[in-house]
Amino acid sequence: MHWKTVVFAALFTAGSSTAFAGEAAYSPEDIVKFFSSQEATRGICVGTEQECGFADKKPAGFNLRLNFEKNSATLTDDAKVNLDAFATALKSPSLSIASFAIEGYTDASGSDGYNKNLSDRRAESVVSYLAQLGVDASKLKPVGFGESKPVGEDPFDPANRRVETRLVLE
């Protein structure tokens, strides 16, 4: 028997709006609206991932639009601006009871072990910064995926050095 935490969200894009240096790519209101508008259902499936239909489904996530320099888990100034908006949203009454998976990723530049460690550090740096802004760290579950889930065809694309988040329904 397998018990599975349900992870639910969809990729968020800010439409045609463009963020400039020092400007958040989205507003706290955009984030609250995104997560509040998701139609979530809870259910339990007893069986394997294939039997329950999870095997071929890759849940999408809210892309925090946090990118990192190569070989770094240090937040850039632009990343902090976006995290400031994200923290404001997470402290809103409609999201205050929610838990989030904070997922770190890398490009394919390093070994599998190195990239897993780096992606863990990226997720942890986001959680640490959000906690400094007053977000309850117990509601944030950091996890690193290394280079395993690239967003583009080129595994070395800098866009793969990112953090995404997912709403976790428990």
Side-chain angles (χ1 to χ4, degrees), residues 9-12 34-35 58-64 103 164-166:
L11 184 63
F12 174 85
F34 172 80
F35 284 116
K58 176 186 172 196
F62 183 92
N63 185 341
L64 288 174
E103 302 174 344
E164 293 183 9
T165 187
R166 299 178 197 287

Side-chain angles (χ1 to χ4, degrees), residues 66-68 103-105 149-151 159-164:
L66 303 180
N67 292 103
F68 295 82
E103 302 174 344
Y105 300 91
K149 298 179 181 182
V151 292
N160 293 321
R161 300 188 300 256
R162 70 195 191 281
V163 168
E164 293 183 9

Side-chain angles (χ1 to χ4, degrees), residues 19-92:
F20 299 98
E23 180 180 294
Y26 37 75
S27 72
E29 293 78 20
D30 292 334
I31 299 163
V32 170
K33 183 178 177 184
F34 172 80
F35 284 116
S36 297
S37 68
Q38 301 301 311
E39 291 184 27
T41 59
R42 294 179 188 226
I44 296 175
C45 177
V46 179
T48 67
E49 288 186 4
Q50 290 80 12
E51 291 169 336
C52 294
F54 295 127
D56 298 326
K57 294 182 181 175
K58 176 186 172 196
F62 183 92
N63 185 341
L64 288 174
R65 296 187 187 196
L66 303 180
N67 292 103
F68 295 82
E69 296 298 323
K70 189 173 184 175
N71 194 31
S72 175
T74 302
L75 295 170
T76 64
D77 289 339
D78 286 342
K80 289 178 182 179
V81 169
N82 284 332
L83 283 173
D84 292 347
F86 196 71
T88 299
L90 294 185
K91 292 187 289 185
S92 74

Side-chain angles (χ1 to χ4, degrees), residues 71-127:
N71 194 31
S72 175
T74 302
L75 295 170
T76 64
D77 289 339
D78 286 342
K80 289 178 182 179
V81 169
N82 284 332
L83 283 173
D84 292 347
F86 196 71
T88 299
L90 294 185
K91 292 187 289 185
S92 74
S94 57
L95 295 181
S96 64
I97 62 169
S99 293
F100 294 87
I102 306 297
E103 302 174 344
Y105 300 91
T106 67
D107 65 19
S109 295
S111 69
D112 288 345
Y114 180 84
N115 285 341
K116 171 65 170 101
N117 179 275
L118 179 58
S119 65
D120 286 337
R121 291 190 346 245
R122 287 177 175 167
E124 289 286 348
S125 72
V126 168
V127 169

